[in-house]
Amino acid sequence: MPVFDLSTTPLRELNSALHGLSAGANDTVFEVINPRGSHAVAVGIDAPVTVDIKGSVGYYCAGMNDGGNVTVHGSAGPGVAENMMSGSVVIEGDASQYAGATGRGGLLVIKGNAASRCGISMKGIDIVVHGNIGHMSAFMGQSGHLVVLGDAGDALGDSLYEAKLFVRGSVKSLGADCIEKDMRPEHIEKLAELLELAGIRDVRPEEFKRYGSARKLYNFNIDNAEAY
Amino acid sequence: MCGIVGLFLKDKALEPELGALLSSMLITMTDRGPDSAGIAIYGSDNGKTAKITLQSADPGTDFDGLGDALKGALGIPVSIEVKSTHAVVTLDKDKVDAGRAALSSLRPNIRVMSSGDTIEIYKEIGLPKDVVSRFAVSGMSGTHGIGHTRMATESAVTTLGAHPFSTGSDQCLVHNGSLSNHNNLRRELKRQGMTFETENDSEVAAAYLTAEMAKGKDLGAALTSAVDDLDGFFTFVVGTKSGFGVLRDPIACKPAVMAETDRYVAFGSEYRALVNLPGIETARIWEPEPATVYFWDHEKAA
């Protein structure tokens, strides 16, 4: 198993090794030690590799991940798993702002809290947060699911398109055009699947409320001018 | 983009290491702000003397014979320690105002970086590593300190445009962000009698807090009113003689990480700045909430 010590090895060596994997390579389990808040750790993965990062990371960890399984055994700085395509990213600690931003696929699990703008402009990614999320989360979310076991901050789902938001705790306030919606059987089923995928066994999908778009702001309508 | 670091010590045993710890934190933040750097350090209070930190573009001329000239003007002995482009004048506490008046007539080109019982401010253009080494910051001890690495957006890259800004005795502020109502606020504060050295938005924030505290507010209360009165993007770290505060605007897009142990409270724009602190592995680490005042005080804790 390749081990990269970022206190002695340049980041580019790690990322080049991850990008250089050929199809069918056997050595697909990487360990990264001493990340010490480094930026851009394990970005641009495009192969089914497993990366264990032992410590906290800075900006954009696992950005653009396409098929990798990345675990951060610590906390993550801004933009973790930004624009993820597929695969999974697990943060054992907390995540800073805009976790999972613009993600198109894959699963992001944050075991602590996520700060502001979690899932901003999400486009198909599934995000499960064990703790709370900050303000402006899922802003302009287009598709995918944001599951929050704790509370959500101000302006959840502002200008939301078709991303589905499930919050178990309180929501400080809803953003423009975001409303609470009924939990139908298909939502319970999807939520149960996501909780299962995120390894959460002691929480029932019925404990959540669903939030989604009221679809009033999709197109400009002069009657809605005060809502913009 | 700018970098901010701050360290407020609870454990006196760490005080001799304050300068070294802050220097290391500051240098780590070089790529957030390579234009200029500055540091405010709060030393120990002996109860008798105060300090005025000066900066000169021509230190060879301005600082030459300044001690004797001040002694002649004030009628008391003063000590001067010259550090590169800066000099720290130490004099009796009740002579600070007279000393500043004498300095402005004796050496009109000198700029006052700070004055107060314990504060010293050093700031210059250049890389953070060069700035901390020219002022020998690593060897300094103190109770708390704040540093800043600047990537200029709102005003020119000059020594006076560097942070920290000090607009009141033993007060300082560093800022990451940009204020949008600083011109209006500056006019208002000028009307209240505040004076300004620059056109910089961050100096307005510093002066605003100074004016609020002059009305009797403590640092925490002054920061609370700043949430309503300051418009724009900001993460502030501020210092007073015994206090250390942090405030982010309601949008909170300028980064901030804090760490607290039994021995210190630390601030960094990024976690990278904190990784060399003692006991960081077991510290409580969190991201300060938007529009929320964080405030520690040596005197209130004691």
Side-chain angles (χ1 to χ4, degrees):
Chain A
M1 179 177 70
V3 177
F4 286 82
D5 182 345
L6 291 185
S7 66
T8 55
T9 310
L11 174 69
R12 196 169 292 264
E13 285 191 23
L14 164 68
N15 287 342
S16 298
L18 289 169
H19 301 163
L21 285 170
S22 53
N26 289 324
D27 231 352
T28 56
V29 179
F30 286 65
E31 186 173 282
V32 179
I33 59 174
N34 293 315
R36 296 162 63 85
S38 298
H39 301 170
V41 176
V43 295
I45 291 174
D46 61 354
V49 295
T50 298
V51 183
D52 274 293
I53 302 166
K54 300 293 177 67
S56 292
V57 292
Y59 282 79
Y60 307 124
C61 179
M64 303 176 281
N65 178 41
D66 194 359
N69 295 300
V70 179
T71 303
V72 177
H73 299 269
S75 290
V80 67
E82 188 175 61
N83 210 63
M84 175 151 61
M85 303 301 286
S86 67
S88 73
V89 175
V90 177
I91 312 301
E92 296 286 345
D94 299 322
S96 185
Q97 52 183 333
Y98 48 93
T102 75
R104 299 183 64 100
L107 176 69
L108 169 62
V109 178
I110 297 159
K111 295 197 174 173
N113 300 312
S116 61
R117 294 172 274 272
C118 180
I120 185 169
S121 196
M122 53 196 289
K123 303 170 186 176
I125 189 175
D126 293 324
I127 304 174
V128 179
V129 182
H130 289 223
N132 306 322
I133 58 171
H135 64 279
M136 296 297 283
S137 288
F139 176 64
M140 294 185 83
Q142 290 145 56
S143 64
H145 302 85
L146 173 62
V147 179
V148 184
L149 275 63
D151 302 330
D154 274 317
L156 176 71
D158 193 284
S159 306
L160 195 66
Y161 293 93
E162 291 304 306
K164 294 182 175 65
L165 318 180
F166 299 98
V167 182
R168 181 161 162 254
S170 65
V171 173
K172 199 168 175 196
S173 67
L174 291 173
D177 211 33
C178 183
I179 55 170
E180 189 181 337
K181 293 185 163 181
D182 290 339
M183 281 283 254
R184 297 197 298 269
E186 67 264 35
H187 303 124
I188 297 281
E189 192 182 333
K190 182 66 189 179
L191 187 49
E193 178 196 323
L194 290 169
L195 291 170
E196 171 81 26
L197 277 174
I200 295 165
R201 313 248 183 278
D202 52 348
V203 172
R204 293 179 307 114
E206 291 80 5
E207 296 171 36
F208 292 77
K209 287 179 176 168
R210 178 169 76 102
Y211 302 89
S213 176
R215 301 178 182 132
K216 302 276 191 221
L217 299 180
Y218 273 31
N219 300 301
F220 182 76
N221 180 333
I222 191 65
D223 295 336
N224 295 328
E226 76 279 6
Y228 287 95
Chain B
M1 191 158 74
C2 292
I4 297 178
V5 299
L7 191 56
F8 176 85
L9 300 179
K10 303 182 195 174
D11 180 356
K12 286 190 183 302
L14 277 177
E15 289 182 5
E17 295 174 49
L18 180 74
L21 291 168
L22 264 179
S23 297
S24 157
M25 293 166 78
L26 193 74
I27 291 166
T28 308
M29 289 293 95
T30 296
D31 49 14
R32 295 195 68 87
D35 292 340
S36 46
I39 203 149
I41 292 233
Y42 292 85
S44 60
D45 185 7
N46 61 15
K48 294 178 191 142
T49 57
K51 296 187 265 201
I52 306 173
T53 309
L54 309 171
Q55 184 269 347
S56 168
D58 184 11
T61 310
D62 280 337
F63 298 151
D64 185 41
L66 182 59
D68 289 339
L70 275 174
K71 184 181 171 187
L74 298 172
I76 51 154
V78 300
S79 76
I80 291 194
E81 185 187 3
V82 175
K83 287 188 184 179
S84 183
T85 54
H86 288 45
V88 180
V89 176
T90 305
L91 73 182
D92 289 350
K93 284 189 181 190
D94 58 3
K95 295 288 186 190
V96 170
D97 290 342
R100 288 189 67 158
L103 280 165
S104 64
S105 64
L106 289 168
R107 298 287 191 276
N109 295 327
I110 271 180
R111 276 95 173 241
V112 174
M113 298 281 104
S114 66
S115 75
D117 292 345
T118 64
I119 191 173
E120 292 173 30
I121 287 182
Y122 301 91
K123 59 188 190 184
E124 272 297 352
I125 56 175
L127 286 172
K129 72 175 169 59
D130 299 331
V131 174
V132 296
S133 94
R134 78 196 279 183
F135 300 118
V137 175
S138 298
M140 297 178 75
S141 65
T143 53
H144 52 302
I146 295 169
H148 186 271
T149 63
R150 180 168 188 237
M151 188 176 287
T153 57
E154 300 296 298
S155 64
V157 177
T158 59
T159 303
L160 283 191
H163 301 219
F165 286 95
S166 181
T167 49
S169 182
D170 280 315
Q171 296 170 11
C172 76
L173 170 142
V174 299
H175 175 204
N176 178 15
S178 54
L179 300 179
S180 42
N181 66 338
H182 64 101
N183 281 328
N184 254 342
L185 208 50
R186 188 184 293 106
R187 271 195 291 276
E188 179 72 23
L189 290 164
K190 276 181 179 168
R191 216 148 45 91
Q192 294 174 26
M194 301 293 299
T195 55
F196 291 85
E197 302 272 346
T198 70
E199 290 298 306
N200 187 288
D201 59 331
S202 311
E203 187 186 17
V204 175
Y208 169 83
L209 294 175
T210 298
E212 291 300 303
M213 285 190 275
K215 294 173 190 166
K217 291 181 180 174
D218 67 11
L219 176 59
L223 288 169
T224 301
S225 49
V227 176
D228 292 327
D229 292 337
L230 299 183
D231 189 19
F233 294 117
F234 53 83
T235 291
F236 294 133
V237 178
V238 294
T240 64
K241 187 176 168 185
S242 61
F244 180 81
V246 171
L247 178 66
R248 302 175 80 195
D249 69 77
I251 304 292
C253 62
K254 296 298 177 183
V257 183
M258 299 203 67
E260 184 166 14
T261 73
D262 292 343
R263 306 183 74 193
Y264 58 80
V265 176
F267 178 98
S269 288
E270 298 176 27
Y271 176 72
R272 281 189 302 156
L274 309 178
V275 293
N276 288 328
L277 290 171
I280 192 69
E281 302 79 15
T282 53
R284 181 172 83 91
I285 294 172
W286 78 101
E287 184 168 310
E289 295 285 330
T292 303
V293 172
Y294 295 83
F295 170 49
W296 290 263
D297 196 306
H298 283 302
E299 285 172 1
K300 291 184 181 174

